[in-house]
Amino acid sequence: MAVQPAAGTVRTERRGFLLDLITGTETDQDLVQRLAEAGALALGGSADCAALLMRAGGPPVRAGNSPAAAALASSEDRNGGGPLAHAVSAAELLKVDRTAPTRWQAYRRRLSASGFGAALAVPLGLEDRMSCALLFLVRGSTGLTPNLVAEARWFAEVAAQSLRLALEVRSVRSAGDNLKNVLEGRTSIDVACGVIMAQNSCTYAEAFSKLAGASRQRNLKVRSVAENVVKSVGAGTPAARPETPGLAQPL
């Protein structure tokens, strides 16, 4: 996960490298935290890093590799925005240092109070109603050197590719879990219908209709009614009366 280029060099190679944003990242907060930690490592300790992830219709998710970075990221809402929010909304790189416009002077004072001399916000190119940005926070008076800016840009490209992959994997996993639940529910319904068909010499459609009717009457999902029918058979419950096959006894 760590990227530590040699001092004084500018990273140009971008192929064949991805961050592991999949292992141990079950939530958006996990993803953002991993990004912030990796961002700080990528610059070899020359800067702290914070990250912001925005989903359409969802709350912002922020994290930092250090308490100071996390606090600055969280303070943007309380202080009318900041570089992270700007990078996300405008999708453009933003430098906050001695050359920053007047509108960023208040933020520079907050940087200084937190022990930082400059900040660099870099957006990540994402899709599907989602946006993300990284904030690199430089301590001391070294400022935003060309090498640091180049490394930050490179890491942002790697992070964007890695984040897109992680989100795609999570989507596939979620779809798989949903399909598994659907198939499990379908199995329960099929078995319950088989029980009702055997008890009442009716068709599958008639058996399913009875399950659906019980579902509406009892305000339960069809799958829940079906599972109760299957459980009642497994427990050795006596067969139901023909007029309410498989559903007469309490479920």
Side-chain angles (χ1 to χ4, degrees):
M1 182 176 67
V3 185
Q4 297 184 8
T9 64
V10 175
R11 177 76 69 174
T12 58
E13 177 59 46
R14 292 177 169 81
R15 296 181 179 178
F17 183 87
L18 288 173
L19 301 171
D20 181 4
L21 300 179
I22 299 173
T23 306
T25 54
E26 302 298 328
T27 66
D28 284 350
Q29 187 64 53
D30 295 335
L31 281 175
V32 175
Q33 185 65 46
R34 182 76 58 85
L35 276 176
E37 293 170 356
L41 289 172
L43 268 65
S46 60
D48 282 10
C49 184
L52 167 65
L53 178 68
M54 296 286 294
R55 287 181 183 269
V61 182
R62 299 182 178 87
N65 77 297
S66 68
L72 273 172
S74 298
S75 72
E76 291 198 1
D77 279 346
R78 299 192 301 273
N79 293 277
L84 269 175
H86 177 85
V88 164
S89 61
E92 63 181 16
L93 180 144
L94 174 65
K95 299 178 182 180
V96 181
D97 56 12
R98 296 186 185 91
T99 65
T102 303
R103 63 169 292 196
W104 295 110
Q105 294 310 306
Y107 185 82
R108 280 198 64 204
R109 290 192 290 272
R110 282 156 44 202
L111 278 178
S112 179
S114 299
F116 299 107
L120 175 68
V122 188
L124 275 59
L126 299 178
E127 301 173 355
D128 299 328
R129 304 174 67 199
M130 183 180 302
S131 53
C132 184
L134 298 173
L135 180 67
F136 296 94
L137 300 158
V138 182
R139 294 187 180 276
S141 57
T142 56
L144 300 172
T145 65
N147 187 68
L148 186 147
V149 174
E151 287 296 313
R153 285 178 178 272
W154 169 78
F155 179 78
E157 290 188 17
V158 171
Q161 295 170 11
S162 304
L163 184 55
R164 283 194 294 267
L165 175 61
L167 293 171
E168 287 175 6
V169 170
R170 185 189 291 181
S171 178
V172 170
R173 285 179 174 174
S174 178
D177 290 341
N178 290 337
L179 178 59
K180 180 181 178 183
N181 291 333
V182 169
L183 292 176
E184 288 176 349
R186 185 74 255 178
T187 298
S188 298
I189 292 170
D190 286 344
V191 172
C193 285
V195 171
I196 298 172
M197 290 165 65
Q199 290 177 345
N200 298 273
S201 300
C202 62
T203 66
Y204 183 95
E206 292 169 335
F208 184 83
S209 177
K210 293 180 183 297
L211 281 177
S215 169
R216 291 191 296 271
Q217 292 172 5
R218 303 179 187 192
N219 196 27
L220 294 172
K221 293 182 179 179
V222 173
R223 176 180 175 180
S224 297
V225 176
E227 288 174 347
N228 284 330
V229 170
V230 174
K231 288 177 183 178
S232 71
V233 174
T237 304
R241 294 191 302 272
E243 61 270 19
T244 52
L247 304 175
Q249 55 271 44
L251 301 179

